[in-house]
Amino acid sequence: MEKKASNRRLVAILAADVVGYSRLMGADDAGTLAALRHHRETLFNPAVEAHNGRVVKLIGDGTLVEFASVVDAVACALEIQRAVAEAAKSGDRAITLRIGVNLGDIIIDGNDIYGDGVNVAARLEALAEPGGVCVSSIVNESVGNRAGAAFTDAGEVSVKNIDRPIRVWKWHPDGIAPVPRPIPADVPLALPDRPSIAVLPFTNMSGDPEQEYFADGLTEDIITGLSRVRSLFVIARNSVFVYKGRAVSVAQVGQDLGVRYVLEGSLRKSSNRVRITAQLIEAATDHHVWAEKFDRELVEIFDLQDEITRNVVASTQTQIMLAEGGSTRRATPNDLDLWSLVNRSIARIHELTPESHADAKGLAQRALDIDPKCGPAWRCLSIVLYHEAHMLTASDYDATLVKALESAERSVALDRNDEYAHWNLGNVLVALRRYDRGISALQRAIEINPNYSTASGSLGTSLCYAGRAAEGIELNEIAIRSDPLNPSIFFRYSGLALGHYLMGDYAQAAEWARKSVQRNRAWYLGHVYLLAALAQLGRTEEAEAARQEYQTLFPRAVISDLARLPIKNPGDVEDLAAALRKAGLPE
């Protein structure tokens, strides 16, 4: 009887993927695809062919190649990375790869390959430096000095779904030393002087190896997004990816890397849907600061990755700011340093009461007494003054806004790359009806930090004031999707109410205004828009109830208060006043 041929064989496997692919696609999808196609046709595929390899499959931006010879596999990887490095030096736009090479047993299924050897190659690729090559110990031993390059021992690493540690060796054309596995220090690293965070590689729990690329890309994009937040200290990608596939406690990560916060998450795919979870943890206490779950259809994978990144970054930024303010409140007042005074002032601002604003103003002034050139303290002082005017608690509205502008301009002058300073300046300028400058300042805040959802929402409301309601509605919707747990979200709701009111959609205006009032009854504009929209809809009984609540909370509320709203079109102001008059509000 004829013996059936084995479907296994020992081969060298090369796994490669594009560094920052999602970010490149977000910036220029057509250009990125063209560059990737050019890279494959002129460099990658010819190198594979010259070294007798076979491209098994393309997985998004990743490629899997098999070689009969491990020497050919390593020589191919080195040739590709050296060519890309030379192209970069000459100024040519080039695709940057990470490449992993393993020698192992594979299972052949038609034209595809599976097995432990493939899985290890994929893990090695994730451990490689951008533009570099990472190989297993067996590959390094097999190639010896025939590679024409010296690989550096990067130690043993435990990786996901592999039941044994792998010893890895790394090479880079620029001679970058590999990042070793963190070793717990005898003396814990001192925390930086600003909030610090490490983003652990998101775990692929779907059992689908192709989703590994998605999970890694999502992690990289979140790290990049958080790195744009200048008030945060963010651990770089290379230092956190050494934890990929390892069971490690959050406390250990915090100690190893010297960070206060750790963000971790997972991805699970089922049919055409994907569930992504993320949670922010204070490392020393294991306190869960924030957690969120995202259930989405897996249709446009890159759009989905961008959406999740935007949401996670925006929420993480907000929750860290609030957590930092909360921790300083627990400190003894006499022990508060400059940084703590500013964070405590920010936290008190968010409480949005006359008492909290008075406290926030005092804390900001104490910080300025210590350092008159503290930009964040000037910003806090300006925000308090702006809110006092905007929430009708200031004794002199116009004079308070002028003081707010002076402080805002000082904060920007002291740090022109502070997105929070530009955001605050934009709000104050729009309140003073300097629309062009105000909108430019808000746009600058978003340029500095594209994931700054609060600035997106403020820009949206400012555009509504300036007569561009359709654009304003869209930006407020983006801000809500990006940061749904922000305690100041009622501002976004009232911004949507204003936008829909100005567009003549009074039903939507009433719905969003009611949400704003429900979230914060002390925000008077939520009541204004609700009352006006209900009056326009002819819902008399609801309007009467809304008027009574408004006047109970704000006994001195009158229609002439609308003069303070920076609505550019006089006709829109008169329309709003007529609706309030119809609802029975006094002049």
Side-chain angles (χ1 to χ4, degrees):
M1 185 175 179
E2 185 179 353
K3 194 173 183 179
K4 187 177 179 179
S6 170
N7 66 342
R8 292 178 178 270
R9 68 168 177 254
L10 184 70
V11 299
I13 307 102
L14 181 152
D17 85 333
V18 178
V19 176
Y21 182 68
S22 296
R23 187 169 61 256
L24 294 171
M25 287 291 288
D28 180 9
D29 52 358
T32 298
L33 288 173
L36 179 58
R37 189 180 304 112
H38 178 76
H39 178 275
R40 283 174 174 162
E41 292 174 354
T42 63
L43 199 160
F44 192 91
N45 290 344
V48 169
E49 184 177 354
H51 293 282
N52 306 305
R54 178 179 78 89
V55 175
V56 177
K57 58 182 175 182
L58 303 176
I59 310 171
D61 61 308
T63 310
L64 198 64
V65 186
E66 68 165 312
F67 296 82
S69 162
V70 68
V71 174
D72 280 343
V74 173
C76 178
L78 294 173
E79 179 180 320
I80 291 168
Q81 298 294 50
R82 284 169 173 153
V84 172
E86 284 302 313
K89 289 177 182 177
S90 64
D92 292 345
R93 177 178 179 178
I95 292 293
T96 302
L97 300 178
R98 292 188 184 90
I99 297 180
V101 181
N102 185 44
L103 178 64
D105 189 51
I106 64 167
I107 302 171
I108 304 164
D109 183 8
N111 291 324
D112 212 342
I113 60 175
Y114 302 93
D116 187 67
V118 178
N119 294 337
V120 171
R123 301 296 181 266
L124 292 168
E125 170 265 305
L127 294 170
E129 314 293 334
V133 180
C134 181
V135 304
S136 59
S137 193
I138 189 173
V139 168
N140 186 65
E141 292 171 4
S142 300
V143 173
N145 58 10
R146 291 178 290 172
F151 283 78
T152 304
D153 186 355
E156 287 192 343
V157 178
S158 296
V159 296
K160 182 183 173 185
N161 295 333
I162 306 297
D163 59 4
R164 65 193 184 282
I166 305 172
R167 194 170 195 87
V168 300
W169 298 72
K170 295 186 178 183
W171 171 90
H172 194 278
D174 294 333
I176 297 175
V179 178
R181 179 176 60 84
I183 299 174
D186 294 333
V187 179
L189 294 170
L191 292 175
D193 61 356
R194 50 191 163 135
S196 50
I197 183 171
V199 183
L200 291 179
F202 274 50
T203 304
N204 172 25
M205 302 179 68
S206 64
D208 179 0
E210 292 191 12
Q211 299 309 313
E212 203 72 35
Y213 294 96
F214 182 29
D216 289 352
L218 181 61
T219 306
E220 290 188 28
D221 283 356
I222 290 171
I223 292 171
T224 301
L226 288 171
S227 296
R228 289 175 173 150
V229 183
R230 296 177 67 248
S231 58
L232 298 180
F233 178 92
V234 183
I235 298 296
R237 183 241 189 232
N238 290 339
S239 292
V240 293
F241 263 77
V242 296
Y243 292 102
K244 185 175 172 65
R246 293 175 54 202
V248 61
S249 70
V250 168
Q252 186 65 58
V253 174
Q255 181 178 323
D256 290 351
L257 300 177
V259 294
R260 176 168 293 172
Y261 302 99
V262 173
L263 181 71
E264 61 178 12
S266 64
L267 175 152
R268 187 186 299 275
K269 176 178 174 290
S270 177
S271 185
N272 67 332
R273 296 191 66 82
V274 63
R275 168 174 290 183
I276 296 169
T277 63
Q279 52 186 354
L280 179 68
I281 303 167
E282 191 172 22
T285 63
D286 203 34
H287 168 65
H288 283 59
V289 177
W290 165 81
E292 189 59 88
K293 177 176 65 179
F294 307 92
D295 285 303
R296 300 289 190 274
E297 287 190 7
L298 197 61
V299 182
E300 295 293 338
I301 187 71
F302 298 117
D303 290 343
L304 173 61
Q305 187 166 318
D306 289 344
E307 178 195 351
I308 300 299
T309 297
R310 185 169 58 246
N311 289 10
V312 171
V313 171
S315 296
T316 299
Q317 179 180 355
T318 298
Q319 297 305 320
I320 286 180
M321 180 178 66
L322 294 175
E324 288 291 301
S327 66
T328 59
R329 280 202 299 272
R330 296 189 292 270
T332 303
N334 292 333
D335 293 337
L336 292 174
D337 58 14
L338 186 66
W339 180 256
S340 297
L341 287 165
V342 169
N343 277 312
R344 186 175 175 186
S345 179
I346 291 170
R348 293 292 279 158
I349 288 170
H350 274 81
E351 294 176 34
L352 293 171
T353 66
E355 296 75 20
S356 70
H357 284 162
D359 194 12
K361 188 188 295 185
L363 290 162
Q365 190 58 60
R366 286 174 59 188
L368 290 171
D369 290 341
I370 297 172
D371 182 5
K373 293 185 178 181
C374 178
W378 283 112
R379 184 217 319 144
C380 287
L381 184 58
S382 176
I383 294 172
V384 172
L385 292 167
Y386 168 78
H387 278 312
E388 286 179 345
H390 205 41
M391 299 187 78
L392 307 182
T393 59
S395 58
D396 187 330
Y397 178 84
D398 294 326
T400 302
L401 276 181
V402 169
K403 290 179 182 177
L405 179 60
E406 292 172 355
S407 298
E409 289 180 329
R410 283 199 181 193
S411 68
V412 170
L414 287 164
D415 188 349
R416 296 194 176 276
N417 290 315
D418 181 354
E419 64 267 39
Y420 304 111
H422 286 280
W423 159 74
N424 172 61
L425 176 62
N427 286 334
V428 176
L429 286 167
V430 170
L432 288 166
R433 301 178 182 273
R434 303 180 192 181
Y435 301 103
D436 291 343
R437 273 195 68 201
I439 289 171
S440 294
L442 290 165
Q443 290 171 334
R444 176 58 183 150
I446 297 170
E447 287 174 6
I448 296 170
N449 180 1
N451 299 296
Y452 189 13
S453 66
T454 301
S456 295
S458 294
L459 176 59
T461 300
S462 296
L463 291 173
C464 290
Y465 285 139
R468 297 159 60 182
E471 297 172 71
I473 288 171
E474 183 179 358
L475 281 167
N476 268 301
E477 288 174 341
I478 289 172
I480 291 170
R481 286 198 304 269
S482 299
D483 197 2
L485 299 181
N486 193 317
S488 300
I489 201 167
F490 61 90
F491 286 132
R492 309 286 75 81
Y493 293 161
S494 69
L496 282 176
L498 171 63
H500 284 294
Y501 187 93
L502 295 176
M503 296 284 288
D505 189 345
Y506 303 124
Q508 279 289 305
E511 182 178 337
W512 285 111
R514 195 179 298 280
K515 286 184 177 181
S516 179
V517 169
Q518 289 170 345
R519 190 58 68 95
N520 190 331
R521 294 175 73 235
W523 176 225
Y524 84 102
L525 280 181
H527 294 277
V528 169
Y529 301 144
L530 177 60
L531 183 56
L534 291 173
Q536 293 282 21
L537 291 167
R539 287 153 60 173
T540 309
E541 290 184 6
E542 291 180 68
E544 176 59 20
R547 182 191 63 77
Q548 289 180 10
E549 182 178 14
Y550 180 31
Q551 290 190 296
T552 298
L553 292 168
F554 303 92
R556 293 182 292 178
V558 290
I559 292 174
S560 58
D561 287 337
L562 292 179
R564 295 177 175 179
L565 280 183
I567 297 176
K568 189 174 184 179
N569 184 357
D572 289 333
V573 179
E574 182 51 42
D575 180 75
L576 193 59
L580 295 178
R581 199 172 291 119
K582 181 179 178 181
L585 198 69
E587 293 291 336

